[in-house]
Amino acid sequence: MEKGVVVEYILSLIKENIKLLEEELDSIKQEKNSLTKSSAGDKHETSRALMQSEYDKLYQNYSLQLKQQKVIETLDLSKKSVIGNGSLVQTDRFFYFIGIGLGKHKIMSNSVMLISELSPIGKLLIGRNKNDVISFNNKKETIINFS
């Protein structure tokens, strides 16, 4: 498995999420702006407040996606002497990509755990090398290779 393939997969996932969130945000903005003041003023204000609350939640998620995109785009993907941020690690159980935490994904028929360097498994892997053994959830894993 190549690191570049994993990075492209992550970026396409994030870009798709950004696109969907932009559409949702635009839709809410248009709907909110098209509301007309009815004789039931409180009902109108409640609707606007609920829409604003939904907009704020979506915008927060949108901002997070933009930050994650920037993290991935600025990762140092060069080969390192030890495992670090931006490393693709193969153990005898899984592939791990250390960048942002997105969970388990199937990439080119391989299960890849997309993890943050601050995650428990990320902290165990950082600074390790080929043939090192880590123990996570009472299961030992041997690092076969990394790039």
Side-chain angles (χ1 to χ4, degrees), residues 39-104:
S39 58
D42 287 346
K43 185 177 180 183
H44 170 74
E45 291 305 317
T46 300
S47 290
R48 285 185 65 83
L50 287 172
M51 281 186 186
Q52 185 62 46
S53 175
E54 183 65 22
Y55 183 88
D56 291 346
K57 281 191 270 182
L58 286 171
Y59 191 80
Q60 187 176 17
N61 193 354
Y62 175 72
S63 295
L64 175 65
Q65 295 293 315
L66 290 174
K67 285 178 190 169
Q68 289 182 331
Q69 181 180 18
K70 186 170 184 151
V71 166
I72 294 299
E73 289 175 341
T74 59
L75 276 177
D76 176 10
L77 299 176
S78 61
K79 176 86 169 135
K80 298 166 183 64
S81 58
V82 294
I83 295 170
N85 208 13
S87 293
L88 177 64
V89 181
Q90 179 183 7
T91 70
D92 54 359
R93 294 189 63 226
F94 290 111
F95 280 96
Y96 296 96
F97 180 78
I98 304 173
I100 58 174
L102 296 175
K104 187 177 182 180

Side-chain angles (χ1 to χ4, degrees), residues 1-146:
M1 161 132 310
E2 290 185 33
K3 189 182 334 187
V5 172
V6 176
V7 170
E8 285 305 313
Y9 174 85
I10 294 169
L11 285 173
S12 69
L13 201 64
I14 291 172
K15 286 175 183 176
E16 182 63 28
N17 287 343
I18 288 171
K19 181 181 172 200
L20 291 171
L21 286 165
E22 285 173 341
E23 290 169 2
E24 283 291 315
L25 288 167
D26 190 47
S27 173
I28 289 174
K29 197 183 295 184
Q30 287 177 8
E31 194 174 334
K32 193 169 75 169
N33 290 338
S34 71
L35 277 178
T36 57
K37 187 83 170 171
S38 68
S39 58
D42 287 346
K43 185 177 180 183
H44 170 74
E45 291 305 317
T46 300
S47 290
R48 285 185 65 83
L50 287 172
M51 281 186 186
Q52 185 62 46
S53 175
E54 183 65 22
Y55 183 88
D56 291 346
K57 281 191 270 182
L58 286 171
Y59 191 80
Q60 187 176 17
N61 193 354
Y62 175 72
S63 295
L64 175 65
Q65 295 293 315
L66 290 174
K67 285 178 190 169
Q68 289 182 331
Q69 181 180 18
K70 186 170 184 151
V71 166
I72 294 299
E73 289 175 341
T74 59
L75 276 177
D76 176 10
L77 299 176
S78 61
K79 176 86 169 135
K80 298 166 183 64
S81 58
V82 294
I83 295 170
N85 208 13
S87 293
L88 177 64
V89 181
Q90 179 183 7
T91 70
D92 54 359
R93 294 189 63 226
F94 290 111
F95 280 96
Y96 296 96
F97 180 78
I98 304 173
I100 58 174
L102 296 175
K104 187 177 182 180
H105 290 262
K106 198 80 153 168
I107 305 172
M108 293 184 62
S109 72
N110 292 299
S111 290
V112 181
M113 298 293 291
L114 305 176
I115 61 171
S116 161
E117 66 181 331
L118 301 176
S119 67
I121 190 77
K123 288 177 182 176
L124 286 175
L125 289 169
I126 296 290
R128 298 295 182 129
N129 214 326
K130 189 175 178 177
N131 298 322
D132 284 354
V133 177
I134 61 167
S135 181
F136 185 68
N137 287 338
N138 296 322
K139 293 183 179 157
K140 291 185 188 256
E141 294 183 53
T142 302
I143 298 168
I144 295 170
N145 206 354
F146 73 96

